[in-house]
Amino acid sequence: MREPDSAWSRNRLGSCKGAEVTASAGMACELIRFMSPDDANIAGNVHGGTILKMIEEAGAIISTRHCNSQPGEPCVAALARVERTDFLSPMCIGEVATVSAEITYTSRRSVEVQVNVLSENILTGAKKVTNRATLWYVPLSLKNVDKVLEVPPVQYMRKEQEEEGKKRYEQQKLERLETKQRNGDMIFPVINPDPYTVGYSQSSLIHLVGPSDCTLLGFVHGGVTMKLMDEVAGIVAARHCKTNIVTASVDAINFHEKIKKGCVITISGRMTFTSNKSMEIEVFVDADPFVDEPQERYRAVSAFFTYVSLSKEGKPLPVPQLVTETEDEKKRFEEGKGRYLQTKAKRQVHLQPLAQQ
């Protein structure tokens, strides 16, 4: 359930560094917010969707500010993609979240923003990093929402920074195209499904897009969409294992089309893969435009969420294995297994240098 906007405004303390834009890589923005019971599940863990929404808000502020740093047509930065986001440590009720965002690369028409989330126990002073994320934004004209404007260039401290950023830009462009090409799937209800099957846990949520969900341009905030997606993915995970569940990671979230105010959106989730300790859930967002310009339903956003099952003490629990019935389900399971093994291999490569220190 979405938190009331008044509560969001009350509980958030924001301070943005670099208000005088210097057009250099590393310009930063910081948001600080107290975590209330409205932000958490019944076990007291803050919803992954709440954190994703804060991450997106910080990214939108800094990228919009940068894109308006030079004279020209006013614009608002729209979220195009979120790279894989790992939830490194749970955040709990009563902790203070500090979300720090900085611009790390710009192409001609897009901005890369890297975000870190830190949680603080204000009783003990203990701090820990809970999330790291990379987001891509594009500047849309306030006069013509279909017009993507050029991004002011940034200055890099080292030539390598620009070269590395360009590689990341080309890679995400390719991955976005591949995702869009395989986005024709639909999720349909299953009558009397057996436990632990795909149909047993699959879930959908329908939401009417209102003014409070939208930017100045009348399109949905990326953070609002991600929060709804996490909510549906969480329901799927909880239905499957019937325990406390938390978001472990989110694979790349691709925003294919804008969602306009007045649309009815359907957020659908289904389980695609289970390992011994984790669950992969595919989530789609489909939009039905009913106001102003009626048109056919379209796929707006897609992503894969990974959840883990926890005991009452917060310890990892084994995950019941997913029962696949159709050829399509078996194919998606194998694809999910491939993503799981690839991520596991990358993590081991990353940890090897640390182990040698």
Side-chain angles (χ1 to χ4, degrees):
M1 182 177 292
R2 285 195 62 238
E3 61 188 313
D5 289 336
S6 57
W8 170 260
S9 300
R10 253 195 331 267
N11 294 333
R12 183 189 61 205
L13 299 173
S15 65
C16 289
K17 301 173 183 176
E20 296 298 325
V21 177
T22 57
S24 62
M27 185 182 71
C29 174
E30 188 175 87
L31 299 179
I32 303 173
R33 187 181 161 204
F34 178 76
M35 296 292 101
S36 70
D38 287 344
D39 300 314
N41 62 19
I42 56 176
N45 303 121
V46 174
H47 291 295
T50 298
I51 298 171
L52 288 169
K53 187 178 178 185
M54 291 189 295
I55 287 172
E56 196 279 329
E57 184 175 45
I61 290 172
I62 193 170
S63 50
T64 298
R65 177 172 283 157
H66 175 72
C67 291
N68 288 281
S69 62
Q70 295 183 1
E73 208 169 323
C75 63
V76 170
L79 184 62
R81 176 179 166 90
V82 181
E83 301 289 0
R84 178 182 172 84
T85 304
D86 289 307
F87 289 71
L88 307 173
S89 180
M91 192 181 297
C92 301
I93 294 171
E95 293 184 336
V96 172
T98 301
V99 185
S100 303
E102 65 174 337
I103 292 173
T104 47
Y105 178 76
T106 59
S107 69
R108 187 184 174 195
R109 297 186 187 275
S110 64
V111 181
E112 180 192 54
V113 179
Q114 294 191 2
V115 182
N116 289 322
V117 183
L118 188 77
S119 70
E120 177 188 1
N121 184 320
I122 55 177
L123 300 180
T124 65
K127 297 179 181 180
K128 58 187 177 183
V129 176
T130 62
N131 299 80
R132 291 191 179 96
T134 301
L135 304 89
W136 292 90
Y137 289 83
V138 293
L140 302 180
S141 168
L142 285 177
K143 299 176 182 177
N144 179 3
V145 295
D146 295 319
K147 182 180 179 182
V148 180
L149 301 179
E150 291 194 12
V151 175
V154 294
Q155 297 175 355
Y156 301 94
M157 299 293 291
R158 296 177 292 107
K159 181 67 175 176
E160 292 81 0
Q161 282 181 302
E162 183 176 10
E163 293 171 352
E164 290 165 2
K166 188 174 182 180
K167 288 179 183 177
R168 294 192 299 270
Y169 168 72
E170 295 296 341
Q171 182 64 29
Q172 65 86 26
K173 249 179 94 173
L174 182 63
E175 291 178 0
R176 283 193 71 202
L177 180 62
E178 290 174 350
T179 305
K180 195 167 186 178
Q181 288 174 345
R182 66 170 185 260
N183 251 345
D185 266 356
M186 300 294 290
I187 299 177
F188 299 101
V190 178
I191 307 299
N192 297 323
D194 292 326
Y196 307 127
T197 60
V198 175
Y200 184 78
S201 59
Q202 70 181 31
S203 304
S204 295
L205 182 153
I206 298 174
H207 178 77
L208 175 63
V209 176
S212 62
D213 299 320
C214 297
T215 67
L216 295 173
L217 294 174
F219 293 98
V220 178
H221 283 288
V224 170
T225 307
M226 291 192 292
K227 188 173 182 183
L228 291 169
M229 293 173 77
D230 180 73
E231 186 174 337
V232 169
I235 292 171
V236 174
R239 278 180 167 173
H240 181 77
C241 59
K242 294 182 170 58
T243 61
N244 177 34
I245 47 88
V246 293
T247 314
S249 66
V250 184
D251 236 9
I253 303 176
N254 291 288
F255 291 77
H256 309 295
E257 301 286 348
K258 298 186 290 291
I259 303 173
K260 196 174 182 180
K261 179 175 65 180
C263 283
V264 172
I265 56 175
T266 303
I267 306 99
S268 305
R270 65 183 171 201
M271 194 159 294
T272 51
F273 170 75
T274 54
S275 68
N276 291 332
K277 293 184 179 179
S278 66
M279 301 161 273
E280 182 191 73
I281 296 139
E282 185 175 24
V283 183
F284 302 139
V285 180
D286 294 314
D288 285 304
F290 289 134
V291 179
D292 297 333
E293 299 176 6
Q295 64 185 75
E296 292 183 2
R297 170 185 285 210
Y298 60 89
R299 177 66 41 81
V301 192
S302 60
F304 290 99
F305 287 70
T306 299
Y307 276 75
V308 293
S309 173
L310 299 178
S311 67
K312 292 180 180 179
E313 294 75 32
K315 304 294 183 181
L317 291 174
V319 171
Q321 290 304 289
L322 180 66
V323 177
T324 55
E325 299 175 301
T326 69
E327 289 303 315
D328 283 343
E329 289 172 359
K330 292 174 183 177
K331 180 182 177 184
R332 287 194 293 270
F333 187 93
E334 290 303 315
E335 290 173 346
K337 185 178 180 180
R339 286 186 291 271
Y340 167 77
L341 293 174
Q342 187 178 39
T343 300
K344 192 175 179 181
K346 286 181 180 178
R347 190 182 298 121
Q348 289 173 343
V349 169
H350 178 71
L351 291 175
Q352 279 177 355
L354 298 177
Q356 295 170 359
Q357 291 179 359

